[in-house]
Amino acid sequence: MIERRPFASLGGANHGWLDARHHFSFAQYHDPARLHWGALRVWNDDTIQPGTGFPPHPHADMEIVTYVREGAISHQDDQGNKGRTEAGDVQVMSAGSGIRHAEYNLEPGVTRIFQIWIIPDARGGAPSWGAKPFPKGERSGRFVTLASGMAGDDDALPIRADARVLGATLKAGESAEYHFGDSTRHGYLVPSSGKVEVDGVVLDARDGAAITDVHSIRVRALEDAELVLVDTAA
């Protein structure tokens, strides 16, 4: 089953400095049909104006993956971690027993991110943060694992969940396959840019596709496209 969730149907709010669209219930947006998808709890599509950002605030018991689509995001937390993550790259924060952090757009132009929250397999643990570049050329025509808590994904940023976050770039006409293996798993795919077809379902940029009850998917690019996919346990 693949359910298209058009970008225009998403919840959200424009705060001036932040234009946020929510694939799942978040903040003032509540939809009982879109509370989570497997262990995937949040997928926010955020546009952050230059010189603004999220001031220090706490998190606990959540794996927070930030995929930078445009610009860059600068991170600082109470564990002493600092970093700047650029477009196409990924940062991961395991909130664990509790962490306080801030995220700012210190760039001259807007920053656009996908922020993805995944429910961890267990509560608590020491908080951590990390970031890594993922050159788009290395994921041309195929899915590459960006963050994972699954065995064998040694090159990915670690998360504490039975889940995997993947990225791919496809030229128009190219296809890529992803195998979930177990049809009980839940997938959620969003084109950051471009138009694609997922097993016959057409997605425009920033649409979501909620996927389950399949062993694999084939994605065909109708335009040059950049994709992010999350695979989680049910």
Side-chain angles (χ1 to χ4, degrees), residues 4-92:
R4 175 178 175 249
R5 298 182 176 180
F7 178 74
S9 75
L10 304 182
N14 191 330
H15 304 281
W17 68 273
L18 169 69
D19 187 2
R21 303 301 296 267
H22 310 312
H23 285 262
F24 300 94
S25 295
F26 187 84
Q28 301 305 308
Y29 167 61
H30 179 75
D31 182 344
R34 296 184 181 180
L35 293 177
H36 63 92
W37 190 247
L40 175 59
R41 175 61 188 86
V42 168
W43 191 311
N44 288 346
D45 182 328
D46 292 340
T47 300
I48 307 165
Q49 294 300 312
T52 69
F54 304 92
H57 58 284
H59 291 284
D61 296 318
M62 195 64 67
E63 303 301 293
I64 300 176
V65 180
T66 303
Y67 181 93
V68 182
R69 301 173 54 229
E70 181 180 336
I73 198 78
S74 294
H75 168 97
Q76 184 170 351
D77 63 46
D78 62 2
Q79 306 297 303
N81 299 304
K82 292 183 179 181
R84 177 179 175 274
T85 307
E86 299 181 346
D89 298 341
V90 177
Q91 69 173 19
V92 167

Side-chain angles (χ1 to χ4, degrees), residues 43 65-69 88-90 114 116 133-148 153 156-157 164-170 174-178 188-193 196 217 219 225-231:
W43 191 311
V65 180
T66 303
Y67 181 93
V68 182
R69 301 173 54 229
D89 298 341
V90 177
F114 287 152
I116 296 163
F134 288 93
K136 293 183 181 181
E138 294 181 6
R139 46 191 155 114
S140 177
R142 64 190 183 103
F143 283 101
V144 169
T145 304
L146 309 175
S148 177
D153 290 338
L157 286 161
R164 182 182 279 145
V165 181
L166 307 106
T169 57
L170 300 177
E174 285 186 330
S175 295
E177 289 190 5
Y178 179 72
Y188 201 85
L189 184 145
V190 180
S192 173
S193 61
V196 301
I217 56 170
V219 183
E226 182 177 345
L227 313 170
V228 179
L229 170 66
V230 172
D231 168 6

